[in-house]
Each structure stands twice: as C-alpha cells, then as structure tokens.
C-alpha cells in the first residue's frame, strides 16, 4: 500500500482534480491512502477572512466566504456532474459552519491561535470531498476519512505535534478496515485535533508531514509527494531556469535541503521515514511520467558532488553577544524564537556569542528586548541564506569555490550545517537570487 499526497496546485481546480484522480487510479495500486492539501491559496484566504472578521470587517469576510465556497461548488459541479448533489451538500454545509464561525469571530473580535486553526481547517475539509468526487467519477471505490479521528496532537496551535502511538492505533482501527475492503482512503493533510477535540494544524505546508506520518503508521511501501515540479531539483526552478531534477537523495540530505529552503518538502516530513526506512518519491502531477526524485536511506554518491543550492529568502539574523559567561545562551535564544512561533533554520554558537537565522522579516521586537537582558542583541532583517548541499561539501575546495564565486557580495555570515553535507552563506536579501544562480552555474556544472 502506498500513500499519495497531492499539494495545493495539484487540486487547484476541476482539471487538476481530474488529473490527480487519474494518477491515483493508474498508479495507486490496490487501495492507496490519498492525503489532500487545501486548494491552492485557500489557507491564506481563510486566514484573511478570519482576520477581517476579527477587525470588524465581517461583511468583507462574508464576501470572501461567498467566493471561496463558490469556487469549491463550481469544482464540485465540474468534477462529477452525476454525484455533484452529494458533494455540493457537503461543501454547502461546511460553508454554513464557517459562516457561523466567522460571525462568532466578528462578535468576539478574537482570532487567537486556536481559532485560526479552526478556520484554517476548512481548506482541507472542503478539498477532500472534492477529491473523492473526482475519484468516484472514475469508478474507483473510495471513502473520505476525517484525519482528525486519528491525528491527535498536542495543543501548540499552529504548530501542533502529533502523538504517534495514538496515530498507530487510530489508523489500525479506522483506516485499515476500509483499505482491506479495497477502498481508497481520501483524507486531509495539515490538520489534527487535541485529545479534547479542539482543532489544530501542524504548521504551514505540513501536509507532506501528514503523509509521511500516515505512511510510517501504516507501514506503507512508499510515500509519494505529488506536486508541481518533477522532483527535488538542483535549485528552485523559479530561481534557476536550468535547474535539473535530482534522481536520488538520502533522507538526511532531503531533510537538510527542506530546512534550508527547498519548500517542495516540509522540513519535518523526513523524520517518520528515516525512522522506518520507508522510501519517498517526489512526482509531478502535471508530468506523471517524469521519474521524479526517490528519497531513500542511503545513496551511492560520487565523491565531490554537490546536490543542490537552496535559498531561504527574507530571513532575520539574530546575534547575541553575552555580557557574562552564559552557557545557556543558545537555549535562551531558541526559547525566545519559539515563543514567537518562528523556526530557527541555522545556528552557530561559541562562548563569545550566538547567531541564529530565523524565518521571516518581521520578528517581533520583544525578542530583542528579552534577549537584551543577557547581552548585546542585534536583529538584522533583510537577509537571505544561500546554502550549498551535498556529500561533496565535505571537500573544503567546494567552500573555497563558493566564496570565490560570491566575490563582491557582502557576506554577513558563513554557517556550517548540522551535517557535514551543507554550509550556508548569509547575504543581503537583494543578492540572494543572483547568488543562487552564480553558485548553481559554477558548482553544479562541475559536479555532473
Ligand atoms: P505543494 O503545493 O505541492 O506542496 P509547494 O509549493 O509546497 O508545492 O512546493 C513546490 C515548489 O517548491 C516548487 O514549485 C518550487 O518552486 C519550490 N522549490 C524550492 N526549491 C526547490 C527545489 N530544490 N526543488 C524543487 N522545487 C523547489
Ligand atoms: Mg508544499
């Protein structure tokens, strides 16, 4: 049995849904588990509606809700004219629930983390019945299973962690009986619920993580991530036009690339696979015959090879120089970053100071104030981290060539990665994309 995850662009409209359903029928084997993201852009739209309602703009929220539901209803009509009645009713019912929720937010003027998760859950809850309708239209037997019956998480709203033992029991009692009957399970990525039943989400773009968690819990043969590119590539194809797909990657290198900016994979998604040894494959739903990227435990690598150049655009550098000897400084910095819901992507520390690279430009000033108690603290927004990843990075000449390539660019930091397979160069944001292109043309051409 395999798990197949379809991202936002792969379910963006009726055509995409039909194509994805065809992929499941042709390549999913006997009865796969299908994990569905929200329609492209849906999560952001939902959060904007909640934000509008909370600031008293209920009317605007209602207008957005109308077009949001309309887009899903239109897709329902198109994917399957004959079953559309049922799907339409489901979507309309969800629309009514969301309507009530938004009005409640408007009354309370409250849109905290747990309410945000409740609102955000509607993207996946609406796209999953649409996917099932597209699949049923092909004649395939399938059933929508609410992932929240098995994905029980802690209550860190917006970044919840699942309880994996509960997931193991859950899939065995809920999903397996359906699968053994030969029915495909269609379920939602990204969302979960607490033990008490409150809705949670596992972080932006976390559907990949849902898929690998389910794959590990079910002992799947493979987890397939269907997206809009033909695999993990030698660079983001939106930055480097001649980036090429990577045929095979090790779990560790894929996880590192994801953390360093290759957003085609969620950074956490490799952990369940690494633990269980279940391989993954990244595939293009618009070009399903392309081989894609296979991600496995070990890869025969040519010595000296650089796998990919990654870009984390728009990060903030936080640098703290302690006023006194402070062995816990790194921990304090991580704590502060976590408190404001950001992720540390890179870190370097010595007894003389700590530098971390954090997602996003708008890190709250409170982080600087609180860390200022422990030492001189500088927050520098406007930066990008450019990373060189691959087994070849162990060879010091790669670092030398990379820095020579960036001659003339003001380098703010050079940071060794968590493994010997990467290093990152922090540059002004305006230089990030050009730096990736230059590094790609120098390092990737030599590597092949
Ligand atoms: P999905 O909605 O299917 O989850 P994402 O938008 O999350 O898709 O991820 C796919 C995108 O990741 C691609 O369109 C591409 O622009 C971007 N990307 C960034 N770095 C890479 C890389 N190294 N290889 C492939 N894609 C990358
Ligand atoms: Mg994604």
């Amino acid at each position: 049995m395999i798990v197949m995850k379809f991202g936002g662009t792969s379910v963006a409209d009726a055509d995409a849904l039909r194509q994805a359903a065809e992929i499941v029928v042709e390549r999913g084997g006997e009865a796969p588990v299908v994990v569905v993201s929200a329609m492209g852009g849906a999560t952001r739209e939902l959060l904007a509606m909640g934000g509008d309602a909370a600031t008293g703009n209920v009317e605007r929220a209602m207008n957005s809700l109308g077009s949001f539901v309309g887009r899903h209803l239109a897709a329902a009509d198109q994917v399957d004219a004959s079953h559309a009645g049922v799907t339409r009713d489901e979507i309309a019912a969800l629309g009514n629930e969301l309507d009530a929720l938004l009005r409640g937010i408007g009354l309370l003027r409250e849109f905290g983390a747990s309410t945000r998760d409740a609102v955000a859950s509607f993207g996946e809850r609406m796209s999953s019945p649409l996917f099932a309708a597209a699949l049923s239209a092909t004649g395939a037997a399938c059933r929508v299973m609410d992932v929240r019956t098995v994905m029980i998480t802690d209550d860190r709203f917006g970044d919840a962690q699942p309880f994996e033992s509960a997931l193991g029991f859950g899939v065995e009692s809920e999903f397996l009986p359906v699968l053994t009957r030969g029915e495909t399970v269609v379920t939602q990525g990204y969302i979960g619920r607490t033990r008490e039943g409150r809705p949670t989400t596992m972080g932006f773009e976390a559907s990949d993580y849902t898929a690998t968690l389910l794959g590990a819990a079910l002992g799947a043969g493979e987890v397939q991530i269907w997206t809009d590119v033909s695999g993990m590539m030698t660079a983001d194809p939106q930055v480097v036009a001649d980036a090429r797909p990577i045929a095979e990657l090790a779990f560790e290198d894929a996880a590192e690339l994801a953390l360093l900016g290759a957003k085609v994979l969620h950074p956490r998604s490799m952990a369940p696979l690494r633990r269980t040894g279940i391989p993954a494959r990244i595939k293009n739903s618009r070009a399903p015959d392309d081989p894609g990227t296979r991600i496995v435990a070990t890869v025969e690598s040519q010595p000296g090879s650089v796998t990919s150049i990654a870009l984390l655009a728009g990060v903030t550098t936080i640098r703290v120089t302690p006023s006194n000897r402070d062995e816990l400084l790194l921990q304090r910095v991580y704590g502060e970053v976590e408190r404001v819901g950001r992720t540390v992507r890179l870190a370097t520390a010595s007894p003389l100071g700590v530098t971390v690279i954090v997602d996003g430009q708008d890190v709250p000033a409170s982080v600087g104030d609180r860390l200022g108690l422990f030492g001189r603290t500088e927050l520098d927004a406007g930066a990008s981290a450019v990373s060189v990843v691959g087994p070849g990075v162990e060879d010091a000449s790669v670092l030398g060539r990379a820095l020579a390539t960036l001659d003339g660019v003001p380098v703010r930091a050079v940071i060794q990665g968590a493994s010997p397979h990467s290093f990152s160069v922090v540059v002004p944001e305006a230089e990030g994309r050009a730096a990736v292109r230059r590094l790609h043309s120098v390092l990737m051409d030599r590597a092949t």
Side-chain angles (χ1 to χ4, degrees):
M1 185 262 309
I2 64 170
V3 175
M4 309 172 90
K5 177 257 173 177
F6 290 87
T9 45
S10 307
V11 298
D13 53 32
D15 282 341
L17 283 160
R18 270 194 223 104
Q19 167 117 35
E22 200 170 297
I23 288 169
V24 172
V25 172
E26 283 175 8
R27 300 163 195 257
E30 172 70 18
V33 173
V34 175
V35 175
V36 194
S37 292
M39 278 185 159
T43 308
R44 267 170 231 285
E45 282 171 51
L46 287 165
L47 293 176
M49 285 177 221
D52 281 342
T55 48
N57 258 318
V58 175
E59 202 173 309
R60 190 154 84 190
M62 290 300 142
N63 285 336
S64 314
L65 173 64
S67 55
F68 185 85
V69 173
R71 185 168 145 216
H72 287 80
L73 288 175
D77 292 340
Q78 289 167 35
V79 284
D80 180 18
S82 55
H83 293 77
V86 181
T87 315
R88 274 193 80 91
D89 291 348
E90 281 174 57
I91 287 168
L94 286 165
N96 289 338
E97 193 182 329
L98 181 53
D99 181 294
L101 181 54
L102 290 170
R103 288 182 197 279
I105 293 168
L107 290 171
L108 293 170
R109 298 287 177 98
E110 189 274 346
F111 194 42
S114 70
T115 314
R116 288 171 66 87
D117 282 0
V119 170
S121 73
F122 283 85
E124 276 73 9
R125 289 166 69 195
M126 284 201 196
S127 64
S128 45
L130 282 177
F131 200 106
L135 206 47
S136 303
T138 69
C142 70
R143 175 186 288 245
V144 180
M145 305 285 294
D146 190 332
V147 81
R148 295 170 301 172
T149 57
V150 299
M151 196 65 78
I152 312 302
T153 71
D154 63 15
D155 60 359
R156 287 189 48 139
F157 298 101
D159 188 28
Q161 270 299 306
F163 296 113
E164 293 196 43
S165 54
L167 180 62
F169 290 122
V171 292
E172 203 166 303
S173 64
E174 303 294 322
F175 285 18
L176 273 184
V178 179
L179 294 168
T180 38
R181 280 204 303 272
E183 287 178 53
T184 295
V185 167
V186 177
T187 195
Q188 304 86 11
Y190 178 57
I191 63 176
R193 68 164 171 91
T194 66
R195 286 203 181 93
E196 297 74 35
R198 303 179 71 189
T200 58
T201 64
M202 304 198 298
F204 255 116
E205 302 273 348
S207 293
D208 303 328
Y209 189 33
T210 305
T212 60
L213 282 164
L214 287 173
L218 287 158
E222 183 173 89
V223 175
Q224 299 180 348
I225 307 290
W226 289 86
T227 182
D228 61 354
V229 282
S230 294
M232 182 71 96
M233 306 183 76
T234 54
D236 184 344
Q238 289 188 29
V239 178
V240 177
D242 59 351
R244 310 178 292 274
I246 301 161
E248 212 172 44
L249 265 176
F251 293 134
E252 283 76 11
D253 290 343
E256 191 144 20
L257 263 174
L259 189 66
L260 295 174
K263 75 161 189 140
V264 61
L265 271 185
H266 187 273
R268 284 205 190 123
S269 63
M270 289 297 104
L273 302 185
R274 192 154 44 179
R275 235 181 315 107
T276 52
I278 295 170
R281 202 183 276 276
I282 304 178
K283 297 275 288 177
N284 190 343
S285 57
R286 293 163 180 168
D289 289 328
D290 284 1
T293 298
R294 202 169 144 73
I295 308 177
V296 289
T298 45
V299 171
E300 299 261 331
S301 66
Q302 304 102 317
S305 70
V306 171
T307 313
S308 192
I309 314 291
L311 173 67
L312 268 177
V315 295
T316 296
T317 306
I318 303 175
R319 208 185 296 270
V320 188
T321 314
S323 4
N324 295 301
R325 189 188 150 111
D326 185 356
E327 265 92 21
L328 296 179
L329 187 60
L330 185 61
Q331 197 177 319
R332 295 188 212 286
V333 175
Y334 266 85
E336 283 307 317
V337 170
E338 197 172 293
R339 201 178 53 80
V340 293
R342 300 304 170 95
T343 308
V344 172
R345 298 280 178 160
L346 285 162
T348 171
S350 89
L352 296 181
V354 165
T355 301
V356 298
I357 310 293
V358 176
D359 283 336
Q361 306 273 36
D362 49 350
V363 173
S366 65
V367 171
D369 298 340
R370 292 167 66 117
L371 289 173
L373 299 174
F374 303 99
R376 185 159 52 82
T377 302
E378 298 155 72
L379 263 67
D380 176 11
S384 284
V386 177
S387 304
V388 180
V389 184
V393 170
E394 288 188 34
D395 181 347
S397 73
V398 174
L399 177 58
R401 272 193 284 144
L403 292 178
T405 305
L406 297 181
D407 190 25
V409 178
V411 170
R412 296 185 184 172
V414 178
I415 299 179
Q416 169 70 53
S419 84
H421 287 187
S422 82
F423 63 82
S424 306
V425 183
V426 181
V427 301
E429 194 182 1
E431 310 267 2
R433 294 169 72 91
V436 170
R437 287 188 205 108
R438 276 156 75 177
L439 289 170
H440 190 270
S441 78
V442 172
L443 298 175
M444 301 308 307
D445 285 350
R446 292 235 205 144
T448 51

